[in-house]
Each structure stands twice: as structure tokens, then as C-alpha cells.
Amino acid sequence: MRTDLPANSFKARLQADNPLIGFWLTTASPVSTEIAAGAGFDWLLIDMEHSPNDLPDVTHHLRAAEGGTAEPVVRVPWNEPVMVKRVLDMGARTLLFPYVQSAEEARRAVEATRYPPQGIRGLSGLTRANRYGRVPDYFGRAADEICVLLQVETRRGLDAIEEIAAIPGVDGLFIGPGDLSADFGKAGKWREPEIWSAILDGGRRIKAAGKAAGFLSPAEADCRDVIAAGFDFVAVGIDAGILARQTDALVKAYKG
Ligand SMILES: O=C(O)C(=O)C[C@H](O)[C@@H](O)CO
């Protein structure tokens, strides 16, 4: 019988010297998750915001990632406490919240992950998270292993980095380049000088505020640049993108 509550080594290593290298999963396939889990990544992003994953799917992904090297990071569809509670009950410990723009929104995200009196997470003693009641004192220990990551992906969010980072319980801020570029009126063009310098400046300010800075890009040059700038957790590829580009290339190779 398993009664342990494994330490969240991703959270423990978030601000270590070496960046944590991640992989973004959007194909909603537990097979892809299982394959990526064996590759050696530090974290895997399981996406509920833009991918066809609902709660049962997330449970399959979490099971598929077990035994691998990577912490599953679940991006919830929105900063909304009911889904957060349900995802945590299924055993996710590291959550990424999209579109956070203010300290108040950051506070609400953290509160959704904490039991009263620190927060509003509803209590069930029989969930996958507490091994169906087998983890001693789960309610007292859960917060130690829960990691809260917030996406800042608008100019308003970037302006509020210091206030957002100051909220207790926030572990890291992730800059979403796609939405940020859209907010600048240049969707998808985050290497434009004005946007790219806002991203690098955002990372510097996140770290100066004592929190971990995260990023995602399918482009190696982007990832290498943010790693050189000191970002702490960087997703360096997306399963759907790899499948699409590689199948395009195969067809081109054989059919011209
Ligand atoms: O704004 C971004 O960039 C992100 O939030 C990441 C995207 O949502 C991701 O799905 C890659 O397209």
C-alpha cells in the first residue's frame, strides 16, 4: 500500500542553477505523454486551455507520466477555482494559470490551491491526490508540494510583475509569447525588437522579485536566448508542432 506524498522536485529545483527543460503537450494523447515522460525532460505541460483535454483526460496524462523524469504541469483552462480543485484532487501538484494580470488575480489563483484558512480549496479525503485517504495528514502537507505558476501575457500583466510576484504562494511567472505578441498588435511576431525586449526585461524583473521565470518557444534560438538571460523553466518544443513539421517533411521527401 502506498502512503507517501512524493516531494515535488520541480518546485524544489525551480531556481537552481540549471534551467528546467520542458516539453509542451497539446495532442491530448496519453501515449504522447508516456513517450515524452521517458525522454528525460524536467517538466511536461499538459494543456487544458487550448487542447481538447478534460478532467478524465488529465487523469490519464498524469498516470502516463508516472515513472518518468518529468513533473506534469497542468495548465488549467482559466483562473477558476472549481477546475483547480478538481485538477488538484486528481493528483496534479504543479499548475499553470493563464492570463493573470494583477495581484488580485494572483491571490485568487493561490487561494484556489490552498485549504482554509489560507484558501478556498474544498476538502475530500478520498481523492487520487491523497491516495484515496492513505497519505497521512495530506491536508496539512499538500501545500508544501503544490507549485503555483502564473502566465503573464499582456502588457498589463508585465506592468504588474512585481505586485504579482509578491503574493505569497506564487512560485513562478511564465511569459506567454503568443498572447503577449497579440496584445502588442503583432500576433505571433514575438521576435520583433519591442516585444522581445519586453520578454527579456520581464524575465529579469521576475527574477529580481525572487520568483522563477518561465517561457515556451518551438524555436531553438528563442529558447537559447532566454536560457542565456537566466530564465528558470523553458519549454523547448510542442508535440503537435513536431508531428506536423515532421509529417510535412516526410511527405515532401517521398512525394515532392
Ligand atoms: O501565449 C502563449 O504563447 C502561450 O500561452 C502558449 C500557447 O498557448 C501555446 O499553446 C503554444 O501555442
Side-chain angles (χ1 to χ4, degrees):
M1 181 172 67
R2 282 194 70 176
T3 63
D4 57 316
L5 182 65
N8 185 340
S9 71
F10 173 87
K11 179 176 178 175
R13 292 183 296 143
L14 246 184
Q15 293 193 68
D17 288 343
N18 293 328
L20 299 178
I21 302 301
F23 189 61
W24 210 263
L25 295 161
T26 68
T27 56
S29 159
V31 174
S32 299
T33 301
E34 192 171 36
I35 292 169
F41 289 111
D42 299 305
W43 57 287
L44 296 175
L45 191 286
I46 297 164
D47 183 33
M48 299 182 82
E49 187 192 10
H50 286 297
S51 307
N53 280 315
D54 286 316
L55 194 65
D57 308 300
V58 169
T59 314
H60 293 311
H61 290 292
L62 294 172
R63 290 190 177 121
E66 264 182 18
T69 55
E71 171 73 7
V73 178
V74 176
R75 179 165 71 172
V76 289
W78 192 243
N79 186 359
E80 182 281 311
V82 174
M83 184 57 83
V84 171
K85 167 176 61 184
R86 301 188 77 200
V87 167
L88 289 172
D89 281 351
M90 284 307 111
R93 297 122 24 111
T94 303
L95 301 191
L96 180 62
F97 292 76
Y99 215 80
V100 172
Q101 300 198 93
S102 68
E104 184 47 37
E105 290 173 8
R107 183 174 295 109
R108 266 193 265 139
V110 173
E111 281 176 0
T113 69
R114 302 299 199 258
Y115 291 118
Q118 288 79 24
I120 60 164
R121 180 179 174 190
L123 192 143
S124 166
L126 291 170
T127 64
R128 188 168 181 273
N130 57 44
R131 299 194 191 280
Y132 308 98
R134 294 181 179 124
V135 175
D137 191 26
Y138 174 78
F139 305 122
R141 297 162 62 200
D144 293 343
E145 309 306 338
I146 286 173
C147 180
V148 174
L149 308 172
L150 307 178
Q151 274 188 249
V152 285
E153 43 192 351
T154 58
R155 284 166 292 178
R156 195 178 145 208
L158 287 185
D159 287 346
I161 279 175
E162 283 75 14
E163 291 87 338
I164 292 170
I167 299 299
V170 171
D171 297 293
L173 277 69
F174 173 100
I175 300 183
D179 281 299
L180 184 64
S181 63
D183 189 62
F184 271 87
K186 294 181 177 175
K189 297 184 179 152
W190 57 81
R191 281 309 296 221
E192 297 255 326
E194 180 190 23
I195 307 172
W196 191 248
S197 63
I199 289 169
L200 295 182
D201 182 60
R204 185 190 54 70
R205 288 167 50 216
I206 292 166
K207 292 183 66 68
K211 298 294 161 80
F215 190 73
L216 150 78
S217 176
E220 184 175 348
D222 296 351
C223 295
R224 296 232 176 254
D225 284 356
V226 297
I227 289 169
F231 278 58
D232 302 286
F233 60 109
V234 178
V236 298
I238 306 175
D239 60 351
I242 289 176
L243 189 59
R245 299 295 79 79
Q246 292 301 314
T247 50
D248 291 350
L250 273 176
V251 170
K252 192 161 189 297
Y254 287 94
K255 296 180 71 168

